[in-house]
Amino acid sequence: MSKKYDVIVIGSGPGGYVAAIRCAQLGMKTAIIERYPTLGGTCLNVGCIPSKALLDSTEHYHAAKEKFAAHGIGLKDLTVDLERMVQRKNEVVSQTVKGVEFLMNKNKIDVHHGYGSFLGPKQIQVAREDGSTKVLETDKVIIATGSKPIVPAAFNYDKKRVITSTEALNITRVPKRMVIVGGGVIGLELGSVFARLGTEIEVVEYMDRILPTMDPDCSKELMRSLKKLGFTFHLKHAVQTVKATSRSVTVTVQPRDKEETFEIKADYCLVAIGRRPFTEGLGLDKAGVQTDEKGRIVVNDQLETNVPGIYAIGDVIRGPMLAHKAEEDGIFAAETMAGQKPHLDYNLIPGVVYTWPEVASVGKTEPQLKEAGIPYKVGKFPFRASGRARASMDTDGMVKVLAHKETDEILGVHMVGPRAADMIAEAVALMEFRASAEDAGRICHAHPTFTEAFKEAALAATDNRAIHI
Ligand code: FAD
Ligand code: NAD
């Protein structure tokens, strides 16, 4: 039996479920289709939320082990129960996905569990797990099917010893050694989880620095901190093959500038070399929707595909693969469908790495400004000069403000430090309003807070006017 909707959203990640809510708020009769039993997509089930839950747990343990004594706190018999940590993580996920279910009900959005695929531009089939199917009719569609990890065939991905983030989130015994392929966001966040528990972490990164898309100062500062945590880095190295037995893995690695290879043996090999858009089984050809050479759905500035009325958002299209970007895309698509003129600037989507210290960044990096030939000035402030950071023993890292040399407009802000993930919001807000570095430097910041480091870096960029360095 067929049911007619104004809009059907395929995929219930942060892009899809947020788009569905905004569509419903705007008066559209809305349905969402999700292939898995729980809503929330990668982010809530196997991404942002579970990884942050484990990062928080292990941060507590590490602080207790390494920092409490300096604060004058003695602890006897400190132990780790990784099974309990994973269980708590699962509870956090379960509460969070239930929250999305509640929001679907509250907004009167029909939820259809099953595999969604196009029969035509306005007809979507839902194939349920029990083998039954139904067909839904709609005026418009939002594709929000997200992404999956990239794993080359030579890595012999077996989900047991050769794993991706999805499996790493469910390891319940602390490994002795783990090889991580890729010094990007996932590798460094999940590497931190296990390094804090005592696992020896070896990162093999193809490029000459970790976090190669972020500002080089962030790569340098974070690498220094992670080495202190016990990470070993093989930069400019490529993994050739990964071979697993039931108990271990052997990873063959080659330096990019040498012939001879070497082997690393470990309990696990975590592959974290990026993600690819997921459109398998979606029947894009039946709707006539085009993809590009990377498999991303092609959209115009309105996030509409080549087929009128079919939109696409989040990880399945261009732009950073981030939950908050997917959400903004979702709101943008819903409001555009409703005839509004929303605003979305990918340059001002912040990027955060939830290591400790945290890394946060918005706008242009120094190499990007150089390449574009934009004249700029730099202001930096180290956390070791912050009273707040000394009080909490979090003196690693710095804030860096890049401003236009002539107009003083803030063009980029890059931070490595305590609570950088939260602090970057101020920089984003100021940049949305096209503030100058002097504007940021003249705003009163509470003392003592970590945020003073941003004010000081802005003052340093203005005219070398930082007060505390
Ligand atoms: P997804 O969240 O991938 O959701 C897509 C949904 O569509 C899935 O539920 C899928 O089952 C469903 N689907 C696909 N095809 C079909 C179909 N044919 N029919 C029905 N359903 C379908 N981002 C951040 O911003 N911050 C973080 O801290 C962060 N941490 C992360 C940690 C990890 C370990 C990982 C893997 C990712 C992390 N990300 C983080 C990235 C973030 O999860 C993604 O950018 C985000 O989930 C993308 O949202 P989306 O809605 O586009 O797609
Ligand atoms: P990534 O793009 O962040 O990092 C991949 C890294 O692997 C890069 O440094 C790259 O140079 C390296 N690499 C690529 N191929 C390689 C190879 N063959 N050998 C060695 N190194 C290689 O990708 P990711 O860490 O897998 O994360 C995937 C996506 O998930 C990212 O787009 C990220 O934005 C998102 N994510 C975000 C967060 C967050 O916002 N905190 C957390 C986790 C994941």
Side-chain angles (χ1 to χ4, degrees):
M1 210 208 309
S2 157
K3 192 164 181 177
K4 176 96 183 179
Y5 289 103
D6 293 322
V7 57
I8 289 180
V9 182
I10 309 179
S12 73
Y17 86 76
V18 168
I21 292 173
R22 191 70 188 116
C23 286
Q25 284 176 344
L26 290 164
M28 295 177 227
K29 188 169 166 45
T30 307
I32 193 162
I33 305 174
E34 172 55 56
R35 62 191 281 225
Y36 289 124
T38 56
L39 304 178
T42 305
C43 173
L44 274 59
N45 291 280
V46 290
C48 325
I49 299 299
S51 58
K52 265 79 263 178
L54 290 180
L55 278 158
D56 278 336
S57 297
T58 54
E59 206 176 297
H60 288 313
Y61 170 71
H62 191 252
K65 192 160 163 267
E66 304 294 335
K67 289 190 179 171
F68 277 19
H71 284 271
I73 304 167
L75 261 183
K76 262 194 192 159
D77 305 328
L78 184 67
T79 58
V80 173
D81 181 349
L82 185 51
E83 218 168 311
R84 173 65 200 131
M85 266 185 203
V86 169
Q87 196 187 330
R88 190 196 77 93
K89 177 269 291 179
N90 291 341
E91 287 158 14
V92 173
V93 168
S94 150
Q95 286 160 7
T96 314
V97 299
K98 278 192 191 121
V100 178
E101 234 172 80
F102 163 81
L103 291 172
M104 296 299 105
N105 278 333
K106 182 186 160 205
N107 287 283
K108 302 190 168 46
I109 296 161
D110 285 352
V111 177
H112 300 274
H113 284 284
Y115 211 106
S117 61
F118 285 96
L119 295 179
K122 290 172 188 279
Q123 263 197 339
I124 312 287
Q125 172 179 278
V126 183
R128 298 191 194 94
E129 270 203 352
D130 63 10
S132 64
T133 59
K134 60 183 163 185
V135 178
L136 306 173
E137 302 270 347
T138 183
D139 269 343
K140 294 192 168 72
V141 180
I142 298 179
I143 304 171
T145 48
S147 62
K148 289 275 174 217
I150 297 171
V151 192
F155 289 9
N156 296 307
Y157 176 43
D158 65 2
K159 300 191 181 188
K160 292 190 181 93
R161 294 286 154 187
V162 187
I163 57 174
T164 66
S165 51
T166 304
E167 293 79 37
L169 291 166
N170 285 317
I171 292 176
T172 48
R173 280 179 65 180
V174 180
K176 219 173 147 314
R177 206 170 199 208
M178 183 182 276
V179 176
I180 298 179
V181 195
V185 199
I186 292 183
L188 303 180
E189 287 187 0
L190 291 181
S192 296
V193 163
F194 291 102
R196 290 167 187 168
L197 298 176
T199 305
E200 283 172 46
I201 299 290
E202 300 220 21
V203 174
V204 182
E205 165 58 51
Y206 191 75
M207 305 299 280
D208 60 358
R209 60 187 177 97
I210 57 169
L211 301 177
T213 56
M214 293 186 106
D215 192 273
D217 275 337
C218 293
S219 311
K220 201 174 72 193
E221 291 280 342
L222 183 67
M223 189 156 136
R224 197 181 300 151
S225 296
L226 292 180
K227 276 184 176 170
K228 283 195 249 171
L229 188 59
F231 274 61
T232 304
F233 292 99
H234 303 280
L235 301 180
K236 284 171 66 180
H237 280 65
V239 167
Q240 288 190 330
T241 55
V242 185
K243 289 198 177 110
T245 64
S246 60
R247 292 168 149 253
S248 68
V249 283
T250 305
V251 181
T252 309
V253 183
Q254 184 177 30
R256 272 174 52 198
D257 50 6
K258 289 195 188 114
E259 284 289 308
E260 66 270 29
T261 59
F262 60 94
E263 288 185 347
I264 311 175
K265 274 202 162 53
D267 301 293
Y268 291 98
C269 174
L270 167 61
V271 184
I273 59 171
R275 295 176 62 89
R276 61 177 173 84
F278 181 75
T279 56
E280 274 151 42
L282 191 56
L284 288 180
D285 49 332
K286 292 194 183 138
V289 174
Q290 283 170 1
T291 53
D292 66 14
E293 70 293 345
K294 290 183 174 165
R296 299 176 299 196
I297 293 177
V298 180
V299 290
N300 62 18
D301 289 346
Q302 267 57 56
L303 304 186
E304 195 169 18
T305 67
N306 60 305
V307 180
I310 301 183
Y311 292 72
I313 61 172
D315 280 10
V316 81
I317 63 165
R318 57 178 153 72
M321 286 183 163
L322 295 172
H324 42 283
K325 178 268 190 185
E327 290 186 31
E328 297 302 333
D329 279 354
I331 304 252
F332 185 96
E335 293 181 351
T336 302
M337 281 178 177
Q340 297 185 2
K341 299 255 176 294
H343 155 92
L344 178 55
D345 181 356
Y346 282 179
N347 182 46
L348 296 184
I349 304 281
V352 171
V353 189
Y354 294 83
T355 45
W356 197 264
E358 292 175 336
V359 186
S361 175
V362 63
K364 302 286 183 223
T365 62
E366 241 188 295
Q368 284 171 336
L369 291 176
K370 271 192 194 130
E371 199 186 318
I374 297 168
Y376 67 92
K377 45 194 184 156
V378 185
K380 284 191 204 175
F381 189 81
F383 277 100
R384 73 184 134 72
S386 149
R388 183 73 192 84
R390 272 196 304 277
S392 68
M393 283 178 66
D394 290 310
T395 49
D396 280 6
M398 54 91 219
V399 178
K400 172 173 174 178
V401 171
L402 300 170
H404 195 283
K405 197 162 192 172
E406 279 117 41
T407 66
D408 198 37
E409 180 176 352
I410 303 172
L411 302 174
V413 178
H414 310 281
M415 313 173 170
V416 179
R419 302 282 163 238
D422 297 292
M423 280 169 54
I424 200 69
E426 182 187 7
V428 179
L430 285 169
M431 288 173 72
E432 281 283 6
F433 288 96
R434 303 197 61 179
S436 66
E438 184 170 4
D439 290 331
R442 286 189 181 279
I443 293 171
C444 180
H445 289 69
H447 176 74
T449 57
F450 299 122
T451 66
E452 289 168 296
F454 172 57
K455 176 190 170 101
E456 291 272 9
L459 283 171
T462 307
D463 248 338
N464 219 2
R465 268 163 44 189
I467 302 292
H468 291 91
I469 36 166

